[in-house]
Amino acid sequence: MTGGVSAETIAALTGAEPRDLALYHEALTHGSSGAGDYQRLEFLGDRVLGLVIASELFRRFPKAAEGELSSRLHALASGETCARIAQALDLSAHVRFGAQAIGDGGRQSDNIAADVLEALIGALWLDLGEDAARAFITDKWGDMIEGQVAAPKHPKAALQEWALARKRRPPEYRLVRREGPDHAPRFRVAVSIGKLAEAEGEGASKQAAEKAAAAALLERLIQDDIK
């Protein structure tokens, strides 16, 4: 993509008519393009997303304890969830990349897609205010917020609980390697519980790799029923 997005495109993506189109151009610009990128808006959008989701959970689940609300928030505001919503919007198709980033698969990066979605939320909040940002978030996340019968448990938390329940050492995570360019990195992380067992996982961020490693180790432990 060589030019900026149109007001019609932004309205189709967000459901609201933009006033300051420059904000959305920034939100949809990757650093490889040589122009100002989305990172500052991503920083803001991440906080807006967390606040809106937290307030919605607080309102919709009046009997839920803090721990359950935190678990739900973590899942709903995770990079995985953001990437899934960004893909549904085909958001990466509207991002300005440099030629090298496109060649390196930037448009297919879940990590970038999630970051851009948060930047879009930041732009929407600055341009049209909290009500517009909240309307966008509750529209795109709404079914997931209401549809969770039980709060999802993060694999790292589940692995920690497994070890604690069996009086084992807490899980220890170790970065095995980092590959790829800065805009599309790949991480491989190993996790172990003492000398009991170890597993590895990969992801577009260190956190995602840790999550994958924890899920792999937990599955192995459960299958083997190691006591």
Side-chain angles (χ1 to χ4, degrees):
M1 177 175 174
T2 57
V5 290
S6 67
E8 290 77 13
T9 297
I10 295 302
L13 288 171
T14 66
E17 295 291 335
R19 289 197 295 244
D20 186 356
L21 207 53
L23 285 169
Y24 302 94
H25 290 170
E26 183 179 338
L28 295 170
T29 298
H30 188 263
S32 62
S33 68
D37 64 25
Y38 56 69
Q39 290 185 347
R40 281 175 54 84
L41 285 171
E42 176 206 344
F43 168 82
L44 175 62
D46 176 67
R47 274 69 184 174
V48 173
L49 174 62
L51 176 61
V52 170
I53 294 292
S55 62
E56 287 295 317
L57 290 172
F58 187 86
R59 180 179 64 82
R60 299 186 194 196
F61 298 94
K63 296 182 180 180
E66 185 273 339
E68 179 182 348
L69 294 174
S70 294
S71 294
R72 288 179 179 273
L73 173 62
H74 182 91
L76 290 165
S78 69
E80 182 180 351
T81 300
C82 288
R84 189 160 67 245
I85 292 170
Q87 289 161 357
L89 291 170
D90 198 18
L91 201 54
S92 292
H94 303 289
V95 178
R96 288 187 290 181
F97 286 97
Q100 183 63 47
I102 293 176
D104 289 336
R107 289 207 191 280
Q108 288 74 49
S109 169
D110 287 348
N111 200 31
I112 292 175
D115 291 348
V116 170
L117 180 65
E118 291 180 338
L120 185 66
I121 292 170
L124 190 60
W125 188 85
L126 286 176
D127 186 32
L128 299 174
E130 180 184 346
D131 288 347
R134 182 177 293 273
F136 174 78
I137 293 167
T138 54
D139 176 54
K140 303 307 177 187
W141 271 260
D143 289 344
M144 286 184 286
I145 296 173
E146 294 289 359
Q148 293 175 6
V149 176
K153 185 165 291 185
H154 194 280
K156 289 182 68 175
L159 183 60
Q160 179 90 8
E161 290 180 10
W162 188 97
L164 183 64
R166 290 158 180 79
K167 295 182 172 57
R168 296 284 184 176
R169 293 177 59 181
E172 296 181 353
Y173 295 85
R174 173 175 54 87
L175 179 63
V176 176
R177 65 175 179 267
R178 181 193 187 281
E179 300 176 321
D182 288 342
H183 62 269
R186 295 294 299 176
F187 295 83
R188 187 165 188 85
V189 167
V191 60
S192 60
I193 296 180
K195 296 182 179 180
L196 180 64
E198 180 175 302
E200 295 186 0
E202 291 190 358
S205 67
K206 186 178 177 182
Q207 292 79 7
E210 289 178 350
K211 177 181 177 182
L217 181 53
L218 188 63
E219 181 179 4
R220 180 182 303 173
L221 292 170
I222 292 174
Q223 287 179 347
D224 294 345
D225 194 27
I226 300 175
K227 302 296 183 182

